[in-house]
Amino acid sequence: MPLQSHVQIGIVGKPNVGKSTFFAAATMIDVKIAPYPFTTIEPNVGVGYVRIPCVCRDLGVKDNPRNSICIDGNRFIPVELIDVAGLVPGAWQGRGLGNQFLDHLRRAPVLIHVVDMAGATDEEGRLVKPGTHDPLVDIEFLANEVTMWMVQMLSKDWDKLVRLVDYAKKPLLDVLYDRFSGLGITQAQISDALTKLDLDKKPLSRWSDDDMRGFVSMLRELSKPMVIAANKMDIPEAEDNYRRVVKEVGNKYRVIPVSADYELA
Ligand SMILES: Nc1nc2c(ncn2[C@@H]2O[C@H](COP(=O)(O)OP(=O)(O)OP(=O)(O)O)[C@@H](O)[C@H]2O)c(=O)[nH]1
Ligand SMILES: [Mg+2]
């Protein structure tokens, strides 16, 4: 019986990069895996375990806590993983499986972005010769899709928001919090994003498109941090790409080399 988990992690990426393989390796759940895009349509949900050293050795604790288990001095913390359909450019506007799939990620406070580091799939997930697609393009596109999905939520009935805040004097924080309710975003994160960009005092009626995008992009980084699983490291072309990706975006993301195929085997 898996333990209950209160943390949900979304596994995201373009189609055919190995999301379901990664999910299957982490949860030991048998799911459909195939070398073409949109193998997964309905999300797969399961529990995986994060292993950390247990405090029992230092503190002499004997009982297993209710939220995790200890085996031989290792603590296994359950996390719920959700493996969703692949995302193609323009998903936020409904392309591919689009919004429907993004909606499955609402509750996840952390995302694992599975990237085909071998560059063996094009931007829509079709197989191409290894080394022909640049994984940096995928990293940028995915963050952009999630941001635009959130921008769309914010900009809907924008005039109404402006009236509420600028004229009816409802606190900006409350109005934004309402707008993003359901995404598990906290007031502190919203407030942080506003102050970091000097937008906390600016009337909404004077926000430019860049202000809105900048704010949402910052809020996304704060509220849905992303880790990059650099997948298909078993393919020789992945090595150079991996080094380049770490050099280019290693200060922004944790990039972890993996081979989901090998892990699963
Ligand atoms: N060489 C190699 N192939 C991999 C690796 N991980 C996954 N694959 C292969 O990539 C293909 C796609 O794997 P899936 O797990 O179905 O990919 P997905 O991202 O879930 O695909 P969609 O559900 O269609 O979006 C399969 O043929 C896998 O065997 C890996 O680490 N190395
Ligand atoms: Mg899949």
Side-chain angles (χ1 to χ4, degrees):
M1 237 308 257
L3 292 165
Q4 272 280 318
S5 164
H6 298 291
V7 184
Q8 193 181 52
I9 297 182
I11 301 175
V12 298
K14 71 180 185 186
N16 210 13
V17 292
K19 298 180 296 299
S20 297
T21 312
F22 185 96
F23 172 86
T27 61
M28 302 303 286
I29 297 172
D30 193 17
V31 293
K32 194 163 176 213
I33 293 169
Y36 47 78
F38 296 118
T39 303
T40 307
I41 297 194
E42 285 305 314
N44 298 308
V45 182
V47 174
Y49 294 86
V50 178
R51 183 171 68 186
I52 57 163
C54 186
V55 293
C56 67
R57 287 189 252 194
D58 296 337
L59 302 180
V61 183
K62 290 225 170 57
D63 296 337
N64 265 319
R66 246 164 289 170
N67 61 355
S68 58
I69 41 175
C70 167
I71 301 171
D72 293 337
N74 290 305
R75 179 73 63 87
F76 291 81
I77 300 170
V79 288
E80 188 174 280
L81 293 169
I82 171 162
D83 163 40
V84 297
L87 192 66
V88 293
W92 66 275
Q93 291 164 305
R95 271 200 77 220
L97 297 173
N99 294 332
Q100 176 200 333
F101 132 79
L102 281 162
D103 282 342
H104 291 137
L105 298 172
R106 281 177 173 269
R107 276 179 49 219
V110 178
L111 303 176
I112 296 177
H113 181 191
V114 179
V115 176
D116 172 357
M117 209 43 69
T121 37
D122 71 10
E123 61 174 8
E124 313 233 318
R126 290 175 289 246
L127 290 176
V128 293
K129 194 168 150 276
T132 48
H133 183 78
D134 184 355
L136 275 170
V137 171
D138 297 344
I139 292 168
E140 193 179 314
F141 125 82
L142 195 106
N144 186 51
E145 288 300 322
V146 180
T147 300
M148 290 312 293
W149 170 59
M150 289 168 65
V151 164
Q152 201 177 32
M153 263 174 226
L154 178 59
S155 60
K156 195 167 159 254
D157 300 327
W158 180 249
D159 293 345
K160 204 169 117 196
L161 281 199
V162 172
R163 279 198 302 276
L164 275 176
V165 177
D166 291 2
Y167 304 105
K169 302 290 175 207
K170 270 200 90 171
L172 176 61
L173 207 55
D174 293 353
V175 170
L176 293 176
Y177 182 68
D178 264 8
R179 197 33 83 95
F180 290 114
S181 70
L183 287 197
I185 293 175
T186 64
Q187 290 219 0
Q189 289 163 339
I190 295 173
S191 166
D192 227 21
L194 288 171
T195 31
K196 279 199 164 94
L197 296 170
D198 260 342
L199 287 169
D200 44 340
K201 303 255 155 45
K202 190 169 181 175
L204 272 191
S205 56
R206 293 188 29 230
W207 278 34
S208 65
D209 285 352
D210 280 353
D211 286 338
M212 193 191 286
R213 242 203 89 121
F215 164 68
V216 172
S217 179
M218 177 69 75
L219 187 60
R220 175 188 59 72
E221 281 173 36
L222 295 170
S223 65
K224 305 244 173 224
M226 223 180 309
V227 172
I228 294 179
N231 196 30
K232 304 196 189 174
M233 287 306 295
D234 53 286
I235 299 179
E237 281 79 0
E239 193 66 41
D240 277 355
N241 279 334
Y242 172 70
R243 267 196 288 270
R244 205 162 43 86
V245 163
V246 169
K247 196 167 150 230
E248 293 288 330
V249 298
N251 58 346
K252 246 173 108 180
Y253 302 104
R254 261 190 83 187
V255 187
I256 299 163
V258 293
S259 170
D261 245 5
Y262 276 38
E263 288 290 337
L264 184 60

